[in-house]
């Protein structure tokens, strides 16, 4: 008779009690038919369905076998046998059809750098209860949890990972927490064909699909904070930031990603500090480098150390903004920590006003999730399961992520096993060598999309959760929401509830105000007035000289050269005006023209003014300090030679200035000084700047210019000294010229190096340079022209040359000139006499030599005179004559 495979008791028998079996009455006929367990049936051997329906007892020694619906398994005796006493074997142990267990290996950090397991483990347990109670999700399987405390330590996690892998039962998935532990587990899991699903890992390194091919996480990558940070930097206009990080892979990779993003946005990370356990030195460096906008990446325990040092260095307040990670406990800065020596009040003061960016881990909308709970209901339910207050429980903020991680796993396994109506695989067939089931779970997980208590759950190509970012600010010791940011849409929702200690967001650096140091206007006006009066004086002197050019006294002073001196003084005095012009009066575009005006006016003014005086004194020295070969020069003076000399000096200046202007023109340069702190308590620094006229090779050109000008001044002083006692009517004012040269040379030789030294002090440099120009011009004009004016005005000597000759003896100076002429005539006569005497002396010497030769032939040489005297003879004639006044002295050898 064919075997009857499965008869479902609910279709033809009365329901059983809770025990799963009913003890039949013992009869001689055998054992009474019993009812199958819930979700199961009984296989009757050799009987059809109809035959089973027709009988009530089975014979002695008859065996029945329990079977379960779907993938459920029999718990308890699977086979029962009818005994002679009419009872079935093992009736004291009920048989049940239960769902097959699927095991999850989890590592919860209950302590350590991030004690997130304190809240995440209860959330996972709550999710398992909710999933296992659902008949539409994994109806034939039951998820069970095997967990250990990793202490957020990779070393500790290695030990428990070994136990999970090598001890039964087989785990179908691994769930680590911390990033450092997840990195270890995810790298090893690929060797066992295991999917890894993390609820609390944020390290960007875990997004590497080549390194971690089976890794997923409901906690978004830490790099999701970076677009939000960059958006806030741009919102508040910050272009310079600093960072300080704990030396771990998660924070290093996060910071590397931030550096790339800020560079794309045109923002600079000016200082990057890191530490392993002691943040004291990095915090001091941030203070020393004047960091203002600081991004801090470290775990909660290290955050307390950092801000204790921040308080000590006073790196907080209205000038500073800190950006921290938002997954710390709300009162993390108030938790007692024996590793720091700061009080709660000090810590509270130090952290006030900082900004946190946090992944939205709890759905802000009051909508029901796949578990039929709202986010608020979830928080209330979880809070009841916790042993401590939520603010004091680590991982409370990440608990929704852990809850949704179980749901993501359950939905993926449900899809893999065919729970959605399609034929699937048997999950109980999974082992660490079954790549096929792992691939199907991976595909199901990768396509996850549902509404969880943390929001919409979906994974990107790297297995990371995609989510919004919550922006909060610590205000009055508690966190306040100030905005949300959706990086996928670049949408910033701002609540305008941010508060700042200084009333507004601080600057990203000390605000540097550039201020130009301008010339004192009182000094400029005063010197300009003196210069203007000097120009008027030069014009008066020039007009006087031209008007009286017919007067012999004026003619004997070489008036054309004096006219050039007056013009040169005028140009030099005019150079004072552009010398005092700066950015206070002119714009940047006009500055090069002003620079050229300074150079040309001063250069040409010096060449004309000093060059004409130098020419006079040079001619006097050349004529009156030479010997016989210059005698004829004293008789005549050719003016064109004087003018040619002045032209040569001016031509040299024009050539030098033209080459300078063409090859390396002067332009506006800025000299920057050290920053100055204002007296007011404001976050600004004053950066003084000073405008200069300069060129690329300024020192070279100044060396050339000052070099030959300096030599000209020194030579002028020497010539003036050499000719101080010379008197000539051809240039009757050469002594006044010498005095003017003295003054000009001394002033120029002193002023030039002083102004170079004081170039950074605009008032002092201008005062020295301009007053030197003014005084030298005034002295030159007064010394050269005022005596002439006084003489002509007081003595009426402005007649023509013919009238002037009739007035002999009208002045002491004329008498002296007449006396000089007489002495020159007498000297010429004496020179003739001396020449005749010299000829006679030469003849006598020749005769004496002839006689001595004749005597030496006639008489032998006599021994020398013991006295050593020379042979006696007539005294030698005088060698020369000199003139001293009106007397003549004979000089003998």
């Amino acid at each position: 008779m064919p075997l009857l495979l499965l008869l479902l008791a609910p279709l033809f028998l009365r329901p059983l009690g809770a025990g799963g079996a009913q003890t039949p009455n013992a009869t001689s006929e055998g054992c009474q038919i019993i009812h199958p367990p819930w979700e199961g049936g009984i296989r009757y051997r050799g009987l059809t369905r109809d035959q089973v329906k027709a009988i009530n007892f089975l014979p002695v020694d008859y065996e029945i076998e329990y079977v379960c619906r779907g993938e459920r398994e029999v718990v308890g005796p699977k086979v029962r046998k009818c005994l002679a006493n009419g009872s079935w074997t093992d009736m004291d142990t009920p048989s049940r059809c239960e769902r097959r267990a699927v095991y999850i290996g989890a590592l919860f950090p209950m302590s350590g750098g991030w004690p997130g397991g304190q809240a995440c483990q209860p959330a996972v347990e709550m999710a398992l209860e909710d999933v296992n109670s659902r008949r539409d999700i994994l109806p034939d399987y039951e998820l069970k949890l095997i967990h250990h405390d990793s202490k957020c330590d990779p070393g500790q996690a290695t030990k428990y990972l070994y136990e999970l892998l090598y001890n039964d039962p087989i785990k179908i998935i691994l769930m680590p927490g911390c990033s450092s532990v997840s990195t270890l587990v995810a790298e090893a899991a690929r060797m066992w064909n295991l999917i890894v699903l993390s609820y609390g890992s944020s390290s960007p390194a875990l997004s590497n699909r080549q390194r971690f091919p089976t890794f997923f996480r409901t906690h978004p990558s830490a790099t999701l904070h970076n677009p939000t940070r960059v958006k806030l930097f741009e919102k508040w206009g910050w272009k310079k930031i600093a960072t300080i990080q704990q030396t771990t892979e998660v924070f290093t990779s996060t910071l590397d990603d931030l550096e790339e993003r800020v560079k794309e946005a045109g923002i600079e990370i000016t200082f990057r500090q890191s530490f392993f356990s002691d943040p004291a030195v990095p915090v001091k460096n941030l203070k020393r480098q004047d960091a203002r906008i600081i991004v801090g990446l470290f775990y909660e325990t290290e955050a307390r150390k950092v801000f204790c040092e921040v308080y000590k260095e006073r790196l907080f307040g209205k000038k500073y903004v800190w950006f921290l990670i938002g997954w710390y406990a709300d009162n993390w800065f108030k938790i007692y920590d024996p590793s720091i020596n700061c009080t709660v009040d000090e810590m509270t003061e130090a952290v006030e006003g900082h900004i946190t960016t946090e992944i939205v881990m709890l759905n802000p909308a009051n909508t029901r999730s796949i578990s039929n709970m709202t986010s608020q209901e979830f928080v209330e339910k979880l809070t009841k399961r916790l042993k401590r207050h939520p603010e004091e429980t680590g991982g409370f903020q990440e608990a929704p992520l852990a809850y949704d991680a179980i749901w993501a796993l359950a939905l993926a396994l449900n899809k893999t096993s065919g729970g959605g109506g399609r034929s699937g695989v048997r999950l109980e067939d999974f082992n660490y060598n079954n790549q096929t089931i792992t691939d199907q779970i991976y595909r199901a997980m990768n396509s996850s999309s549902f509404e969880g208590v943390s929001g919409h759950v979906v994974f990107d190509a790297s297995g990371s959760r995609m989510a919004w970012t919550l922006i909060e600010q610590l205000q009055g010791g508690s966190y306040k929401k100030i905005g949300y940011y959706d990086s996928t849409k670049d949408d910033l929702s701002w609540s305008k509830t941010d508060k700042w200690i200084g009333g507004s967001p601080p600057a990203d650096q000390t605000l540097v105000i550039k201020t130009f140091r301008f010339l004192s206007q009182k000094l400029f006006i005063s010197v300009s007035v003196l210069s203007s009066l000097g120009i008027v004086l030069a014009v008066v002197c020039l007009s006087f000289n031209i008007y009286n050019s017919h007067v012999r006294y004026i003619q004997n002073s070489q008036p054309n050269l004096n006219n050039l001196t007056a013009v040169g003084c005028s140009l030099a005095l005019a150079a004072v005006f552009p010398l005092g012009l700066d950015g206070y009066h002119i714009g940047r575009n006009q500055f090069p023209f002003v620079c050229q005006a300074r150079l040309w006016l001063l250069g040409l003014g010096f060449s004309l003014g000093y060059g004409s005086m130098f020419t006079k004194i040079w001619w006097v020295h050349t004529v009156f300090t030479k010997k016989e070969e210059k005698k004829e020069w004293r008789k005549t003076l050719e003016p064109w030679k004087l003018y040619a000399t002045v032209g040569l000096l001016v031509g040299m200046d024009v050539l030098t200035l033209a080459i300078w202007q063409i090859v390396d023109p002067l332009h506006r340069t800025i000299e920057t000084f050290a920053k100055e702190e204002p007296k007011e308590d404001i976050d600004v620094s004053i950066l003084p700047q000073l405008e200069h006229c300069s060129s690329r090779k300024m020192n070279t050109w100044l060396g050339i210019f000052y070099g030959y000008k300096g030599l000209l001044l020194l030579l002028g002083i020497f010539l003036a000294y050499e000719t101080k006692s010379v008197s000539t009517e051809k240039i009757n004012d050469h002594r006044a010229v010498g005095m003017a040269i003295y003054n000009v040379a001394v002033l120029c030789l002193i002023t030039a190096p002083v102004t170079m030294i004081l170039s950074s002090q605009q008032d002092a440099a201008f005062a020295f340079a301009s007053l030197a120009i003014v005084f030298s011009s005034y002295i030159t004009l007064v010394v050269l022209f005022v005596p002439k004016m006084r003489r002509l005005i007081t003595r009426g000597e402005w007649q023509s040359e013919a009238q002037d000759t009739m007035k002999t003896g009208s002045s002491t100076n004329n008498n002296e000139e007449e006396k000089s002429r007489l002495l020159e005539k007498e000297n010429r006569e004496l020179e003739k006499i001396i020449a005749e005497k010299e000829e006679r002396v030469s003849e006598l010497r020749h005769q004496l030599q002839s006689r001595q030769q004749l005597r030496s032939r006639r008489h032998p040489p006599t021994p020398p005179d013991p006295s050593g005297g020379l042979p006696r003879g007539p005294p030698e004639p005088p060698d020369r004559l000199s003139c001293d006044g009106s007397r003549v002295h004979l000089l003998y050898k």
Side-chain angles (χ1 to χ4, degrees):
M1 182 179 283
L3 296 177
L4 180 63
L5 297 179
L6 182 61
L7 299 176
L8 295 178
L11 299 178
F12 59 89
L13 295 175
R14 296 186 306 274
L16 291 174
Q22 181 178 358
T23 303
N25 295 325
T27 64
S28 59
E29 297 178 1
C31 300
Q32 188 178 3
I33 291 178
I34 60 177
H35 299 286
W38 180 258
E39 296 291 335
I42 298 176
R43 179 180 293 120
Y44 295 93
R45 299 177 182 178
L47 297 177
T48 64
R49 182 188 299 270
D50 295 336
Q51 290 174 334
V52 173
K53 290 180 180 180
I55 61 177
N56 292 324
F57 294 91
L58 293 173
V60 177
D61 295 332
Y62 188 85
E63 293 182 351
I64 59 173
E65 181 183 0
Y66 290 102
V67 294
C68 294
R69 185 191 301 275
E71 301 300 329
R72 293 175 179 260
E73 61 182 356
V74 177
V75 178
K78 296 184 66 176
V79 177
R80 296 186 188 276
K81 184 178 181 180
C82 182
L83 299 177
N85 59 5
S87 65
W88 297 97
T89 58
D90 299 324
M91 288 303 294
D92 55 341
T93 304
S95 298
R96 301 186 306 275
C97 283
E98 294 184 355
R99 293 186 289 180
R100 293 182 182 274
V102 176
Y103 291 94
I104 302 170
L107 297 173
F108 294 107
M110 308 305 290
S111 59
W114 176 66
Q118 296 175 5
C120 290
Q121 179 179 338
V124 167
E125 293 171 348
M126 189 168 67
L128 290 174
E129 293 174 2
D130 294 340
V131 168
N132 289 331
S133 65
R134 292 279 292 264
R135 297 294 179 182
D136 56 336
I137 299 176
L138 294 175
D140 299 325
Y141 297 96
E142 181 180 6
L143 298 179
K144 292 187 177 182
L145 182 67
I146 300 176
H147 61 87
H148 298 283
D149 179 11
S150 68
K151 299 181 180 179
C152 206
D153 179 18
Q156 191 77 10
T158 302
K159 170 187 174 184
Y160 291 124
L161 176 62
Y162 181 88
E163 294 181 5
L164 289 173
L165 293 176
Y166 287 96
N167 294 338
D168 289 332
I170 292 177
K171 288 76 181 175
I172 200 169
I173 198 167
L174 298 177
M175 291 185 62
C178 296
S179 294
S180 57
V181 173
S182 295
T183 302
L184 169 71
V185 173
E187 271 192 311
R190 60 188 299 180
M191 308 302 297
W192 275 267
N193 294 316
L194 281 169
I195 299 295
V196 179
L197 177 60
S198 176
Y199 53 88
S201 302
S202 60
S203 173
L206 292 168
S207 297
N208 188 341
R209 265 288 177 249
Q210 294 181 349
R211 184 180 174 188
F212 310 106
T214 62
F215 181 79
F216 291 89
R217 53 182 164 184
T218 53
H219 193 300
S221 170
T223 56
L224 197 62
H225 295 262
N226 291 336
T228 307
R229 291 172 179 140
V230 174
K231 189 68 176 180
L232 294 178
F233 297 157
E234 293 175 339
K235 173 180 173 59
W236 288 316
W238 294 328
K239 294 296 182 181
K240 293 184 177 181
I241 63 172
T243 63
I244 178 173
Q245 63 156 113
Q246 184 179 354
T247 309
T248 59
E249 184 181 22
V250 56
F251 300 129
T252 300
S253 54
T254 301
L255 195 52
D256 291 340
D257 178 77
L258 177 63
E259 192 167 10
E260 294 179 2
R261 292 180 185 272
V262 296
K263 187 180 296 185
E264 294 175 358
I267 301 171
E268 178 186 4
I269 297 181
T270 54
F271 313 109
R272 184 169 174 172
Q273 299 291 324
S274 62
F275 66 94
F276 182 75
S277 60
D278 185 6
V281 174
V283 171
K284 289 181 180 178
N285 291 338
L286 291 176
K287 179 69 174 182
R288 187 182 304 112
Q289 299 295 340
D290 193 32
R292 299 303 181 89
I293 313 303
I294 308 170
V295 177
L297 301 175
F298 27 72
Y299 285 117
E300 179 179 322
T301 53
E302 306 303 319
R304 285 189 283 268
K305 297 180 183 179
V306 169
F307 275 88
C308 185
E309 297 298 328
V310 166
Y311 179 82
K312 295 175 183 177
E313 296 296 330
R314 310 302 296 176
L315 200 63
F316 63 93
K318 65 180 181 180
K319 297 181 181 180
Y320 305 94
V321 177
W322 283 83
F323 280 79
L324 301 182
I325 303 169
W327 37 258
Y328 302 159
D330 288 345
N331 66 337
W332 63 271
F333 52 91
K334 298 180 181 179
I335 297 175
Y336 171 74
D337 191 339
S339 63
I340 63 174
N341 56 358
C342 294
T343 65
V344 173
D345 293 337
E346 291 172 343
M347 292 290 291
T348 303
E349 183 180 1
V351 300
E352 179 64 23
H354 75 263
I355 305 294
T356 64
T357 53
E358 177 185 351
I359 306 303
V360 176
M361 301 180 187
L362 191 66
N363 191 354
N366 193 26
T367 57
R368 297 200 171 273
S369 64
I370 192 171
S371 63
N372 200 31
M373 276 195 306
T374 64
S375 57
Q376 188 60 35
E377 291 173 349
F378 166 79
V379 172
E380 294 174 356
K381 187 176 179 180
L382 177 62
T383 303
K384 295 178 181 179
R385 299 177 69 107
L386 298 178
K387 299 178 181 179
R388 293 186 295 178
H389 192 275
E391 291 186 357
E392 299 176 356
T393 304
F396 183 79
Q397 295 177 339
E398 291 78 11
L401 304 180
Y403 182 86
D404 285 344
I406 294 299
W407 277 95
L409 171 62
L411 293 175
L413 294 178
N414 186 60
K415 186 181 295 185
T416 302
S417 64
R422 297 172 297 177
S423 60
V425 298
R426 289 164 47 90
L427 297 181
E428 63 269 23
D429 293 337
F430 173 79
N431 57 60
Y432 299 142
N433 296 317
N434 196 326
Q435 179 70 35
T436 302
I437 296 179
T438 301
D439 291 342
Q440 293 194 31
I441 297 175
Y442 177 89
R443 286 191 292 269
M445 185 73 72
N446 203 37
S447 61
S448 297
S449 179
F450 64 93
E451 293 297 328
V453 294
S454 62
H456 187 68
V457 179
V458 63
F459 300 104
D460 60 16
S462 64
S464 299
R465 169 83 177 274
M466 300 172 63
W468 280 35
T469 307
L470 169 65
I471 307 166
E472 292 184 317
Q473 185 181 38
L474 189 69
Q475 300 175 3
S478 60
Y479 287 100
K480 305 294 183 183
K481 297 178 182 178
I482 59 176
Y484 291 92
Y485 180 64
D486 183 2
S487 58
T488 59
K489 300 179 181 179
D490 191 24
D491 180 24
L492 179 63
S493 302
W494 201 248
S495 61
K496 298 182 180 180
T497 56
D498 51 317
K499 293 182 180 180
W500 304 96
I501 299 175
S504 61
D508 57 359
Q509 59 182 335
T510 301
L511 181 61
V512 178
I513 300 178
K514 298 180 180 179
T515 58
F516 283 97
R517 290 180 176 177
F518 295 125
L519 181 65
S520 170
Q521 296 306 299
K522 293 181 180 179
L523 176 62
F524 178 61
I525 293 173
S526 301
V527 177
S528 297
V529 171
L530 291 176
S531 181
S532 300
L533 294 176
I535 293 174
V536 172
L537 176 61
V539 172
V540 170
C541 294
L542 181 62
S543 302
F544 166 80
N545 218 40
I546 294 174
Y547 181 76
N548 295 287
S549 60
H550 61 281
V551 178
R552 173 174 293 179
Y553 180 71
I554 300 299
Q555 290 177 347
N556 289 341
S557 66
Q558 294 299 320
N560 289 332
L561 292 182
N562 289 341
N563 292 342
L564 293 178
T565 300
V567 172
C569 290
S570 300
L571 293 177
L573 290 168
V576 171
F577 299 106
L579 197 63
L581 294 178
D582 51 25
Y584 184 83
H585 306 93
I586 59 175
R588 180 179 300 179
N589 296 331
Q590 290 78 36
F591 213 88
F593 299 102
V594 173
C595 294
Q596 298 296 340
R598 295 177 184 178
L599 188 62
W600 282 90
L601 288 174
L602 195 56
L604 294 179
F606 181 87
S607 298
L608 289 173
Y610 182 81
S612 59
M613 295 190 297
F614 176 82
T615 301
K616 282 185 179 184
I617 209 71
W618 171 79
W619 185 86
V620 171
H621 181 273
T622 302
V623 172
F624 288 95
T625 61
K626 299 298 180 181
K627 295 183 178 180
E628 304 299 328
E629 65 272 13
K630 299 297 182 181
K631 291 178 180 178
E632 295 300 323
W633 284 32
R634 303 178 187 179
K635 300 177 182 179
T636 59
L637 176 62
E638 298 178 355
W640 69 270
K641 294 183 179 179
L642 302 178
Y643 304 149
T645 304
V646 176
L648 177 63
L649 296 176
V650 174
M652 290 176 61
D653 269 5
V654 171
L655 181 62
T656 303
L657 295 177
I659 295 175
W660 187 352
Q661 183 173 357
I662 294 172
V663 175
D664 190 15
L666 291 173
H667 58 274
R668 175 178 179 265
T669 58
I670 302 297
E671 179 184 4
T672 302
F673 300 91
K675 295 178 182 179
E676 300 175 354
E677 298 297 331
K679 296 180 180 179
E680 298 82 4
D681 185 21
I682 55 178
D683 190 20
V684 299
S685 290
I686 306 299
L687 183 64
Q689 293 182 327
L690 184 61
E691 297 171 305
H692 290 289
C693 288
S694 183
S695 59
R696 289 181 290 106
K697 297 183 178 180
M698 187 71 174
N699 293 333
T700 302
W701 293 108
L702 288 179
I704 296 173
F705 205 69
Y706 285 166
Y708 88 86
K709 293 290 184 184
L711 292 175
L712 206 61
L713 290 171
L714 294 175
L715 183 58
I717 293 175
F718 171 76
L719 295 177
Y721 177 78
E722 287 288 311
T723 58
K724 66 180 184 299
S725 60
V726 174
S727 178
T728 175
E729 66 175 355
K730 300 299 181 180
I731 303 178
N732 58 14
D733 61 350
H734 75 279
R735 289 190 179 91
V737 171
M739 184 180 297
I741 287 176
Y742 283 141
N743 289 278
V744 171
V746 171
L747 285 173
C748 290
L749 292 175
I750 293 176
T751 303
V754 170
T755 52
M756 293 182 67
I757 295 173
L758 299 177
S759 61
S760 298
Q761 304 178 29
Q762 70 280 6
D763 290 344
F766 174 76
F768 265 93
S770 60
L771 292 178
I773 295 171
V774 170
F775 287 153
S776 61
S777 299
Y778 270 83
I779 291 172
T780 300
L781 294 172
V782 170
V783 169
L784 288 183
F785 293 98
V786 171
K788 296 180 177 62
M789 294 180 181
R790 180 176 176 275
R791 179 188 179 95
L792 268 62
I793 292 174
T794 58
R795 301 186 181 185
E797 296 185 10
W798 48 69
Q799 292 85 354
S800 64
E801 185 178 9
Q803 292 175 332
D804 189 58
T805 56
M806 296 174 62
K807 296 186 177 182
T808 58
S810 61
S811 67
T812 304
N813 192 63
N814 286 344
N815 292 336
E816 292 178 353
E817 291 180 0
E818 185 64 24
K819 186 177 180 179
S820 177
R821 284 195 296 272
L822 293 175
L823 288 174
E824 289 179 0
K825 182 178 180 181
E826 186 177 353
N827 283 337
R828 285 194 294 271
E829 292 175 355
L830 289 174
E831 288 175 356
K832 291 180 180 179
I833 295 172
I834 291 171
E836 293 174 356
K837 295 294 183 180
E838 289 178 348
E839 292 177 359
R840 180 60 181 166
V841 168
S842 176
E843 291 176 358
L844 291 174
R845 286 179 176 173
H846 181 70
Q847 293 176 2
L848 179 60
Q849 291 176 355
S850 298
R851 290 177 181 177
Q852 289 177 347
Q853 292 176 358
L854 182 61
R855 184 180 300 175
S856 63
R857 295 191 195 100
R858 293 178 181 179
H859 304 282
T862 59
D865 190 351
S867 63
L870 295 175
R872 295 182 180 180
E876 291 186 1
D879 182 61
R880 61 177 178 176
L881 296 176
S882 64
C883 178
D884 182 11
S886 59
R887 294 180 298 172
V888 177
H889 300 276
L890 294 178
L891 302 179
Y892 293 91
K893 286 185 178 180

